[in-house]
Amino acid sequence: MVREQVEARGVRHPEVLAALGSVPRHEFVPTALRGHAYADRPLPLGVQQTISQPFVVARMTELALDAERRERALEIGTGSGYQAAVLAELFGTVHSVELDPELAARAGEALERLHYRNASVHCADGHLGWRLGAPWDAILVTAASDSLPPALVQQLSPGGRIVYPRRRADGSQVLCVQEAASEPAQQAREVLEVRFVPLRGPAE
Ligand code: SAH
């Protein structure tokens, strides 16, 4: 998986490759789909959500590592917990926020089973970020929205990075990187065409 799907597509950061090599992806996939855990595609988690394609996880992680510090990472959209585990290999502490209580519970159990003691899952609306523990050196959003929720920008540390999928007016999506800005209007950098499930409101 790492060689053919990730390295071959240009992710070269040795620590990202090592992290993807050491997290057992099958532990985060529903039992019935374990045979496909290392396939080159997203996989359904039930409840209409998906675990991202390995390459997309790798690329987002690589972009997050451009942050000046690696003490604290926040993920919005825990899903399976797989991306959180990859982050936990590389950052001091990882917190991940998931709206769906069942997914949050399952992901928390998987992370605990695999002894990721530096990763915590919270069931909450990720639009608000996670104030306890802010500021974050890196924030990864793994569900798409039209614009970056302002709370996330406020919770970013100086020298930090937010990696997030932005939905365009035509419905397509682009992965963007937002640096901590002295000027709030600073433009996000567009990196890659992607396809994520939507970032939902708490009542959706
Ligand atoms: N990063 C995940 C995949 C994420 S799929 C992994 O590694 O498996 C997107 C996730 O975002 C879904 O689990 C969905 O329930 C969650 N989500 C959607 N809207 C949200 C919100 N407002 N706050 C937190 N999580 C949200």
Side-chain angles (χ1 to χ4, degrees), residues 45 49-52 75-83 97-100 103 124-127 142-143 197-200:
L45 294 174
Q49 307 304 331
T50 54
I51 173 171
S52 308
E75 178 190 28
I76 305 300
T78 316
S80 66
Y82 176 68
Q83 172 78 75
V97 178
E98 169 59 53
L99 192 61
D100 183 292
L103 287 176
D125 177 13
H127 284 95
T142 62
V197 299
L199 188 69
R200 286 168 291 141

Side-chain angles (χ1 to χ4, degrees), residues 7 12 25 27 29 33 36 40 47 57 66 95 98 100 103 118 134 143-144 147 154 174 176 188 201 203:
E7 216 175 340
R12 296 279 148 77
R25 185 167 159 95
E27 296 280 353
V29 165
L33 291 171
H36 302 281
D40 191 9
V47 292
V57 172
D66 285 339
H95 288 254
E98 169 59 53
D100 183 292
L103 287 176
N118 60 337
S147 61
Q154 285 157 15
V174 61
C176 294

Side-chain angles (χ1 to χ4, degrees), residues 131-155:
R131 279 240 302 279
L132 293 167
W136 305 100
D137 302 321
I139 301 177
L140 262 76
V141 187
T142 62
S145 58
D146 299 342
S147 61
L148 197 51
L152 301 185
V153 182
Q154 285 157 15
Q155 292 176 19

Side-chain angles (χ1 to χ4, degrees), residues 5-66:
Q5 301 173 32
V6 177
E7 216 175 340
R9 291 200 185 104
V11 175
R12 296 279 148 77
H13 200 301
E15 289 175 273
V16 174
L17 300 177
L20 263 91
S22 54
V23 178
R25 185 167 159 95
H26 60 274
E27 296 280 353
F28 294 92
V29 165
T31 320
L33 291 171
R34 290 216 166 151
H36 302 281
Y38 297 89
D40 191 9
R41 58 183 174 94
L43 294 170
L45 294 174
V47 292
Q48 295 183 333
Q49 307 304 331
T50 54
I51 173 171
S52 308
Q53 184 187 11
F55 165 67
V56 174
V57 172
R59 192 77 183 97
M60 290 183 78
T61 306
E62 186 176 53
L63 292 165
L65 287 188
D66 285 339

